Amino acid sequence: MTSIHAFWLAGRQTTGETTLDVTSPWDGRLVGKAAVPTDAQVEEAVAAAYAVRDEFAATPAHVRAAALSHVSNRLVERTEEIAQLISAENGKPIKWARGEVGRAVSVFRFAAEEARRFNGGEAQRLDTDAGGQGRLALTRRFPKGVVLGIAPFNFPLNLCAHKIAPAIAVGAPIILKPAPATPLSGLIIGELLAETELPAGSWSVLPVANDKMPALVQDERMPVISFTGSDKVGYAIMDSVPRKHCTLELGGNGAAVVLDDFSSEEDLDWAASRIATFSNYQGGQSCISVQRVIADATVYDRLVPRIVKAVEAQVTGDPSDPATEVGPLVNEDAAKRVESWVDEAVNAGAKLLAGGKRDGAAYAPTVLADVPADVTIACEEVFGPVLTLKKVDGEAEAYAAVNESKYGLQAGVFTHDLQTAFRAHRDLEVGGVVIGDAPSYRADQMPYGGVKQSGVGREGVAFAMADYTYERVMVMTGLAL
């Protein structure tokens, strides 16, 4: 009999009246059943978080840091167990699932470190004008209030960590809503937080159905929303609550630019390998996966066969096999959508150089060339193992091609030239530029987010902490400065 995974309501474990089946995208087996909270239980969690907000904000830094360190250490101890769970519920190959656990370990460790040094305050002399003589301003940051964290399915542990850890670090209560397709990994974080001494009510992990989300979003007791997901849903949230603070990480249409100076045999082999790997890892279900390759005409013809060969060499199959690099998509509907977009492009004249086949929820790593600019796959985020190839003449045309997208999350630029790198940093309309590699690199301590329809605000522990807080100034008078 499959056990029921309880949820976490104001720091305690409990169940509701119904459950949610969590199944493997790979073979359809039942991975587990997640208890679903009732409306009354959701209300209890929100009320508890709101009630404890002042107490939690005043919690000593060492208490919050110790709790975060504890979670980090326990994740290390349970790495293999949690990685197997991620792989089972998400379909992510075990090699990538282990990497995700390692990243979550870092997120909680970074948050523990930041909690200890956060809010030391900044002093500013005000006697720069005569009216400010003897006055000193001390500026500190304070939580805006309860955070509603809404996490996606593609990184079911680490993106939950990116919601919870910064909130705890600043003393902001949080209600976490994990994705209904992959709630079990988020519930693991609840298990570890329950072992700490954080105030009751300061956190809850509630696998609420998506149709219950609008009521949570509208609740005035949660003035901060941190959402990761589609641009359609993200901007609908922001439009519905214009007076709330929203951090939105909404995906992209990641471009890898290969310029003319990146032209040696070793250079092109490296670029092809990185492009092939990071257009397909996580089944392409990463906001910064490579979807577009934009290559200078001087290297294009030598690069393309290398990319095709490297893509065809990707090992697909059972995500529990350590050799597997590309597993299934989150469900069969997602794979059918990718299939329809590829078919549309091919029917419109695109050349299929590799892949293009679906088997249930799995879609073969795919390469397309000569893709018409008006087809869906050229304009939208595919969120699947598909990349397109485009030939350009020169750096300026390459950057213009990157900027044609309505998205602007990250871009990779393969170049050795320092001036070229700085021009890319200046000219590309994205939140991050990776030089000498694919756009798919993310360090969990760096600012992460995009421009245009890729969202607003930044994740990355210290930057999310700033997002969850506001500046409050205190002016002291009559001081001998």
Side-chain angles (χ1 to χ4, degrees):
M1 183 176 179
T2 302
S3 61
I4 295 175
H5 296 252
F7 56 84
W8 295 91
L9 192 166
R12 73 178 191 276
Q13 198 172 32
T14 189
T15 57
E17 297 173 353
T18 60
T19 60
L20 171 69
D21 287 351
V22 181
T23 58
S24 164
W26 170 246
D27 55 16
R29 67 183 172 88
L30 184 65
V31 177
K33 290 178 176 287
V36 177
T38 64
D39 291 348
Q41 288 171 320
V42 172
E43 166 59 27
E44 182 181 350
V46 175
Y50 186 75
V52 82
R53 68 194 189 284
D54 291 338
E55 176 191 345
F56 193 33
T59 302
H62 71 86
V63 173
R64 288 178 273 117
L68 293 162
S69 292
H70 174 83
V71 175
S72 180
N73 293 335
R74 292 285 283 132
L75 286 170
V76 172
E77 294 170 2
R78 296 177 63 177
T79 291
E80 188 60 26
E81 168 203 348
I82 298 171
Q84 294 287 347
L85 180 63
I86 292 171
S87 183
E89 70 170 344
N90 173 274
K92 182 174 299 193
I94 189 63
K95 64 179 287 185
W96 298 115
R98 289 171 181 144
E100 181 174 348
V101 179
R103 289 181 59 187
V105 168
S106 296
V107 168
F108 279 97
R109 186 180 75 249
F110 295 149
E113 295 166 354
E114 293 292 345
R116 288 188 170 92
R117 57 178 167 253
F118 176 73
N119 218 3
E122 179 180 342
Q124 181 183 16
R125 293 179 66 134
L126 301 179
D127 61 353
T128 50
D129 287 320
Q133 187 167 333
R135 294 177 184 259
L136 184 77
L138 179 66
T139 303
R140 297 165 62 202
R141 301 191 71 89
F142 294 86
K144 293 174 179 174
V146 181
V147 177
L148 172 60
I150 305 171
F153 70 82
N154 57 327
F155 288 85
L157 179 75
N158 195 43
L159 293 185
C160 287
H162 270 286
K163 310 301 183 192
I164 289 179
I168 291 173
V170 301
I174 181 166
I175 305 293
L176 176 75
K177 179 196 173 303
T182 57
L184 306 183
S185 302
L187 293 172
I188 288 282
I189 296 177
E191 288 184 36
L192 307 183
L193 286 172
E195 300 169 354
T196 72
E197 297 181 2
L198 294 176
S202 59
W203 59 273
S204 294
V205 183
L206 306 177
V208 178
N210 285 341
D211 62 4
K212 301 289 185 179
M213 191 167 68
L216 279 172
V217 167
Q218 292 290 332
D219 197 306
E220 293 182 355
R221 292 168 295 180
M222 293 182 286
V224 179
I225 298 174
S226 178
F227 171 84
T228 302
S230 73
D231 58 331
K232 179 180 178 180
V233 175
Y235 284 118
I237 289 173
M238 176 176 278
D239 291 344
S240 72
V241 285
R243 290 178 176 83
K244 289 195 177 191
H245 178 88
C246 295
T247 298
L248 306 178
E249 199 283 278
L250 305 179
N253 188 343
V257 176
V258 185
L259 295 176
D260 59 356
D261 71 302
F262 213 82
S263 58
S264 72
E265 299 297 308
E266 293 79 8
D267 286 343
L268 295 178
D269 286 344
W270 164 257
S273 171
R274 300 298 284 178
I275 288 166
T277 296
F278 291 104
S279 64
N280 295 293
Y281 86 126
Q282 327 290 339
Q285 298 169 123
S286 170
C287 300
I288 47 177
S289 67
V290 182
Q291 184 172 335
R292 297 180 291 156
V293 178
I294 299 166
D296 190 90
T298 60
V299 298
Y300 183 89
D301 290 340
R302 295 166 58 212
L303 178 64
V304 169
R306 287 173 161 87
I307 290 176
V308 172
K309 181 179 179 181
V311 166
E312 291 178 335
Q314 296 288 301
V315 179
T316 63
D318 186 345
S320 67
D321 185 340
T324 297
E325 295 168 311
V326 186
L329 276 70
V330 68
N331 54 45
E332 188 168 0
D333 285 344
K336 287 180 177 179
R337 177 189 55 76
V338 172
E339 180 181 43
S340 70
W341 288 14
V342 171
D343 289 348
E344 176 200 17
V346 171
N347 291 335
K351 295 178 181 177
L352 181 66
L353 304 184
K357 296 180 180 179
R358 181 180 66 83
D359 182 6
Y363 196 80
T366 297
V367 181
L368 296 170
D370 301 331
V371 177
D374 59 347
V375 299
T376 306
I377 210 164
C379 307
E380 301 294 336
E381 180 181 33
V382 65
F383 226 58
V386 181
L387 63 84
T388 65
L389 306 176
K390 182 181 180 68
K391 183 189 297 186
V392 295
D393 289 315
E395 179 187 338
E397 187 175 326
Y399 295 170
V402 174
N403 292 339
E404 285 173 358
S405 175
K406 66 181 180 179
Y407 297 104
L409 187 49
Q410 291 196 168
V413 179
F414 289 88
T415 182
H416 296 295
D417 186 80
L418 185 61
Q419 294 289 1
T420 300
F422 272 85
R423 283 194 296 271
H425 196 202
R426 180 192 65 195
D427 295 342
L428 293 177
E429 298 168 356
V430 293
V433 179
V434 183
I435 301 300
D437 204 351
S440 313
Y441 175 79
R442 178 183 180 183
D444 293 286
Q445 72 272 37
M446 78 182 194
Y448 177 77
V451 297
K452 298 192 284 190
Q453 290 192 37
S454 286
V456 295
R458 292 294 180 269
E459 290 192 338
V461 175
F463 304 91
M465 289 167 67
D467 247 6
Y468 292 171
T469 56
Y470 69 97
E471 295 173 318
R472 185 189 299 167
V473 65
M474 176 176 67
V475 177
M476 293 174 284
T477 305
L479 301 178
L481 297 176

